[in-house]
């Protein structure tokens, strides 16, 4: 079995493409050094992408040697952040009892589909399986009018 290796140059080209598809700067999609807000950053070493998340004194690391899995994770996180911001900015258009997580997930799904329809379908499957936001139905996410 051949070990997979992530080329930093290929990963960077793909990350720039993701940022372009989402309409945001590259440093919104991923950072390349630890920063003060407790977020994630990436380090490339030994043919792998190390996805680190720091909070206070702790750092959690996931090591990716599969480029597609790494890019899915980065896209998932960026689209989630964008979806959350979009939902918050559009919250007043819904009735008070509306579950705002539906709008958030709908926007995240739309963005994931924009970047890669295969990743969008994968994310949608996780919503359908109940892996996100207990009690949110995929039918409601699919039906949400993003406009």
């Amino acid at each position: 079995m051949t070990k997979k290796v992530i080329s930093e140059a290929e990963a960077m080209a793909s990350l720039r493409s993701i940022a372009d598809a989402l309409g945001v700067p590259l440093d919104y999609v991923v950072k390349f050094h630890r920063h003060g807000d407790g977020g994630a950053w990436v380090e490339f070493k030994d043919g792998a992408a190390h996805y680190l998340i720091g909070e206070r004194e702790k750092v959690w690391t996931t090591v990716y040697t599969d480029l597609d899995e790494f890019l899915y994770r980065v896209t998932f996180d960026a689209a989630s952040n964008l979806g959350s911001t979009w939902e918050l900015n559009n919250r007043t258009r819904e009735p008070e009892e509306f579950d705002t997580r539906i709008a958030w997930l709908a926007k995240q799904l739309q963005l994931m589909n924009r970047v890669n329809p295969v990743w969008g379908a994968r994310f949608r499957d996780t919503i359908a399986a109940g892996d996100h936001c207990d009690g949110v139905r995929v039918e409601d996410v699919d039906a949400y009018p993003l406009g």
Side-chain angles (χ1 to χ4, degrees):
M1 181 169 166
T2 305
K3 181 181 176 189
K4 291 185 177 184
V5 174
I6 291 181
S7 154
E8 183 174 351
E10 184 179 10
M12 289 301 298
S14 296
L15 291 167
R16 285 186 195 92
S17 177
I18 290 166
D20 289 346
L22 294 174
V24 296
L26 178 60
D27 71 346
Y28 186 94
V29 172
V30 66
K31 297 193 180 349
F32 298 98
H33 55 83
R34 189 170 186 162
H35 44 98
D37 66 3
W41 73 98
V42 172
E43 296 174 0
F44 294 103
K45 56 186 172 186
D46 303 324
H50 297 250
Y51 194 78
L52 302 105
I53 300 173
E55 185 176 316
R56 296 186 183 96
E57 301 301 317
K58 294 188 179 228
V59 176
W60 294 269
T61 305
T62 305
V63 179
Y64 293 91
T65 57
D66 181 299
L67 181 60
D68 191 70
E69 285 299 310
F70 166 66
L71 296 173
Y72 175 85
R73 171 62 188 272
V74 169
T75 302
F76 175 93
D77 287 350
S80 179
N81 290 337
L82 286 165
S84 172
T85 300
W86 181 89
E87 180 278 317
L88 192 59
N89 290 335
N90 290 278
R91 187 171 284 180
T92 59
R93 68 186 224 175
E94 301 300 340
E96 187 176 317
E97 67 279 357
F98 177 75
D99 186 344
T100 58
R101 300 174 302 168
I102 294 168
W104 176 352
L105 292 174
K107 188 62 174 180
Q108 183 177 357
L109 178 58
Q110 179 190 54
L111 294 168
M112 298 227 17
N113 275 318
R114 183 185 303 163
V115 173
N116 184 326
V118 172
W119 295 344
R122 178 177 167 186
F123 176 60
R124 185 185 180 282
D125 288 346
T126 66
I127 297 168
D131 294 344
H132 297 283
C133 299
D134 188 38
V136 173
R137 299 176 330 135
V138 72
E139 296 84 5
D140 295 331
V141 172
D142 288 342
Y144 186 80
L146 290 168

